[in-house]
Amino acid sequence: MVRVVKEYDERRTEILETAERLFLEHGYDETPVELIIKEIGIAKGTFYHYFRSKNELLDAIVDILIDEVTTTIKKLTEEKEGDAIVKMFRVSSYFRTLAIGKERLTDYIHEERNAHIHFKIEKKVTPPLVDCYIKLIEQGIEEGIFNVKYPEETALALVGAAEGLSEGHHEHANREKIDQRKIVAALDIYGRILGVREGLMTEYMMKMEGY
Amino acid sequence: MVRVVKEYDERRTEILETAERLFLEHGYDETPVELIIKEIGIAKGTFYHYFRSKNELLDAIVDILIDEVTTTIKKLTEEKEGDAIVKMFRVSSYFRTLAIGKERLTDYIHEERNAHIHFKIEKKVTPPLVDCYIKLIEQGIEEGIFNVKYPEETALALVGAAEGLSEGHHEHANREKIDQRKIVAALDIYGRILGVREGLMTEYMMKMEGY
Amino acid sequence: MVRVVKEYDERRTEILETAERLFLEHGYDETPVELIIKEIGIAKGTFYHYFRSKNELLDAIVDILIDEVTTTIKKLTEEKEGDAIVKMFRVSSYFRTLAIGKERLTDYIHEERNAHIHFKIEKKVTPPLVDCYIKLIEQGIEEGIFNVKYPEETALALVGAAEGLSEGHHEHANREKIDQRKIVAALDIYGRILGVREGLMTEYMMKMEGY
Amino acid sequence: MVRVVKEYDERRTEILETAERLFLEHGYDETPVELIIKEIGIAKGTFYHYFRSKNELLDAIVDILIDEVTTTIKKLTEEKEGDAIVKMFRVSSYFRTLAIGKERLTDYIHEERNAHIHFKIEKKVTPPLVDCYIKLIEQGIEEGIFNVKYPEETALALVGAAEGLSEGHHEHANREKIDQRKIVAALDIYGRILGVREGLMTEYMMKMEGY
DNA sequence: CATGAATGAGCCTTCATTCAT
DNA sequence: AATGAATGAAGGCTCATTCAT
């Protein structure tokens, strides 16, 4: 057997990335450690040299993702430039980018076999996300573009509504065509929740690039 | 080694109910068939006499629950008496009753180990629920109490927002006190999404019993 | 694969006996469950159908042996016929029979790799054995053939001395020749410990058959 | 990743002492090499630089202990001053000191998980111990204080009896109170085995310090 | 309708040891 | 003399499912 020696961090990252991919492909329970090590070309013992258990590996993967997401949305929220709506667009845009970057993470995540991971992520991502929205809502109120009575609940509802709307997407086959209409509808609803002047959300959308 | 003979349906129901309880208690994967049969006091073979596989059993459990829910909310939606808001209150009320009846089903369901079941139920309950909401929204529009542009998306957003708000509940410790405020806030937000005259939702709430 | 069905007790005994043999041959740690099941011709699952773990199997084996031994020596002690010395000879004789019957159990047991089992057995056999000796010593005192001040300690010392003497045996190569001398010496020593008239033990030995 | 360089013997001793402690604490099989090196703060390779295998390490530990014991009891036996009984007391006293010095070695050693070590030590310590006793018995015969027919067997029995009596100790809870009686009883029995005038052993005990 | 012994693939994990650096 | 990444055989155990009775 050829013995390939790598530095600790490099190998660790290799395992993390390979496992993330395989977990998303086949699901956590359906991915034996055996498969992970064969894919990389290392021995069983090597795997356990880096992670005490398969579950600890999952936790590490999830934690990395959570950290990444939390850090980014916090940064986007606390940026100086941009009003509340612009920032919301940016946060929302980031999530879409993430979904694409993670090779259709969202698609995979919505499969039953990944319920485990889905759950773990959602549970940890939602709180910081709600925090960001609360801050953005408060900013929007100060700026006079939002009219909200209950910031916290509004944030919760907003996140929930967004999820509900995106889940709806997953059902339809010909997404392309519908998308345009969906987006306009979604913006209308977000606008209502935030007490924004009618049509304002759409105007922002038109102005913004990459949305 | 006592051989207890029961009628087909009785035994089947016994298995279904025992399994539902155990799945919720320990999670699906962590509940061996062994445990189910010991709890009931039947043999392995008997189990497989009624269900081809453990997974089919889960499907059966979920389907029963789904059927129950779907039928009820359809009935509540299609009832002659009551305007759109009243019916929405009824549907929402039904879900709360359900949660209590299933012995804090929702609490259990929000534990990580039940992600599997949670997922299956949510995936199947959401579409009919959205359908009901679409119909109620259309009714409300006709009645002139709702002002909604995109009924389908609004329904999706409404269901999502409701879930988001109720999930938020699960975090807080002293639920009792907060509840009142939460409800008022939620109604405010639902009212916005549905384009209802401000304060109208709260007025309905005051009039209705058991809400 | 041919599926051979046996009754619970029969199969259980089969596993117990096979495992006992293999444990003594190769040692507990060096006997994989795999080997046991291959020897019998059953599947892994079958093994775990009868014993929750490999260790539980060992406990069962040891317990059976202990029970057998304890019951027998109690019976020999409480028999009506025979004075204290005769009974001691019988007990001692039983142990020798046992050793032979168990296919040189004692030899195996004195190998390092069986330290585990040896320990477990010794720890459990000694107390009832000491109890028996205490009773026999008291009987002998009543019969006026023993002269003992401290029955309990004498019992402990007797068991220890016997073990010490028999351990000594295991060192020597040409056992046959030495045996006669060893026995006479041992009897002399036992006689001293028990405060028996000099030569009396040897007289008993001559009279007894099969010793 | 600090590289601490030590002299060969110092490091070797460090490993030996750490391993001895860990083996007694957790048992040989339950102490991975990993634990030993982490405790010391060295790398895997370093360990194998000093010992070819884990088992060789155990042998080294046991050998050191054996050597120490063997040398000491030989010295005590061959000393000019003191008659046979006095010397026996000294040997016995040394064993007790040893037990205390090794931080309740005997307690640990009587736990099942240490059967392995117990066995190895006993097997190697007994022969030289018996040799010493043989010599002491011969000395006692010459001095006219012992009356023994079979020196070798008597030695074996004596060692066995001593062990039997001390094992008995391990059972009782309130050792303190019983000890005095136990010692007197033990001396009575040793006296019988050695053919010593009644009461002589106790007289020696009274005269000796620290016993 | 019921029993429960039997199956066996497959899983996670451990750990003594090797070897390139 | 020291490091620590890499090895891989081996082991105990789980559990959904089958099938003879």
Side-chain angles (χ1 to χ4, degrees), chain A residues 8-42:
Chain A
Y8 189 87
D9 279 351
E10 191 183 349
R11 179 88 335 141
R12 200 183 135 92
T13 304
E14 195 179 2
I15 296 175
L16 281 166
E17 287 173 352
T18 308
E20 184 182 357
R21 178 165 53 76
L22 293 174
F23 285 169
L24 290 173
E25 246 169 70
H26 312 114
Y28 174 79
D29 276 330
E30 285 70 35
T31 307
V33 171
E34 188 74 29
L35 185 62
I36 301 171
I37 62 167
K38 266 189 188 153
E39 192 88 3
I40 304 178
I42 55 173

Side-chain angles (χ1 to χ4, degrees), chain D residues 11-194:
Chain D
R11 178 105 309 158
R12 203 181 132 93
T13 305
E14 197 179 2
I15 297 174
L16 283 165
E17 286 175 350
T18 307
E20 182 182 358
R21 178 166 53 78
L22 293 174
F23 286 169
L24 289 173
E25 245 170 73
H26 313 116
Y28 175 78
D29 277 330
E30 286 70 35
T31 307
V33 171
E34 188 77 28
L35 185 63
I36 302 170
I37 63 163
K38 264 191 190 153
E39 192 90 1
I40 304 178
I42 57 172
K44 275 265 174 74
T46 308
F47 175 89
Y48 282 91
H49 186 63
Y50 289 91
F51 298 95
R52 217 174 308 191
S53 73
K54 189 185 164 190
N55 206 70
E56 195 173 83
L57 167 64
L58 176 59
D59 284 342
I61 291 172
V62 171
D63 282 350
I64 288 171
L65 184 64
I66 298 320
D67 271 14
E68 200 183 300
V69 171
T70 307
T71 309
T72 306
I73 59 176
K74 234 177 205 160
K75 212 195 71 197
L76 292 176
T77 303
E78 289 161 4
E79 232 172 30
K80 288 189 179 166
E81 187 225 339
D83 63 21
I85 297 179
V86 167
K87 287 184 182 175
M88 278 192 183
F89 272 90
R90 284 190 196 131
V91 169
S92 148
S93 178
Y94 166 64
F95 272 100
R96 230 166 311 131
T97 316
L98 184 71
I100 296 160
K102 289 282 169 191
E103 285 167 42
R104 284 157 291 143
L105 172 84
T106 37
D107 271 7
Y108 280 131
I109 246 177
H110 285 90
E111 287 179 40
E112 194 182 324
R113 66 172 161 239
N114 290 325
H116 205 205
I117 309 181
H118 182 213
F119 209 87
K120 260 196 153 126
I121 293 178
E122 200 176 285
K123 210 173 164 184
K124 288 194 172 176
V125 162
T126 302
L129 187 58
V130 169
D131 279 353
C132 287
Y133 271 94
I134 292 175
K135 277 177 197 150
L136 291 179
I137 286 166
E138 283 163 352
Q139 180 185 340
I141 292 172
E142 272 181 32
E143 292 166 350
I145 48 180
F146 289 173
N147 175 18
V148 164
K149 266 192 193 161
Y150 311 93
E152 193 184 332
E153 281 76 17
T154 301
L156 285 166
L158 212 54
V159 170
E163 201 162 307
L165 283 164
S166 76
E167 301 264 314
H169 283 228
H170 283 277
E171 316 296 84
H172 289 284
N174 56 337
R175 298 184 193 176
E176 307 273 326
K177 281 206 172 178
I178 297 166
D179 269 356
Q180 186 60 18
R181 201 195 105 100
K182 288 256 161 184
I183 291 170
V184 174
L187 289 179
D188 174 70
I189 292 162
Y190 300 155
R192 287 159 179 252
I193 295 175
L194 293 165

Side-chain angles (χ1 to χ4, degrees), chain A residues 58-75:
Chain A
L58 175 59
D59 284 342
I61 291 173
V62 170
D63 282 348
I64 288 171
L65 185 63
I66 298 321
D67 271 13
E68 201 181 297
V69 171
T70 306
T71 308
T72 307
I73 59 176
K74 236 179 203 160
K75 212 195 70 197

Side-chain angles (χ1 to χ4, degrees), chain A residues 123-166:
Chain A
K123 208 173 165 185
K124 287 193 171 176
V125 162
T126 302
L129 187 59
V130 169
D131 279 351
C132 287
Y133 271 95
I134 292 176
K135 278 179 199 148
L136 291 180
I137 286 166
E138 283 163 353
Q139 182 185 338
I141 293 171
E142 272 181 34
E143 292 167 350
I145 48 179
F146 288 173
N147 175 19
V148 165
K149 266 192 193 160
Y150 310 94
E152 195 184 331
E153 282 76 17
T154 301
L156 285 165
L158 212 55
V159 170
E163 201 161 307
L165 284 163
S166 76

Side-chain angles (χ1 to χ4, degrees), chain A residues 1 6 11 45-46 49-50:
Chain A
M1 293 295 106
K6 296 196 179 179
R11 179 88 335 141
T46 307
H49 184 62
Y50 289 91

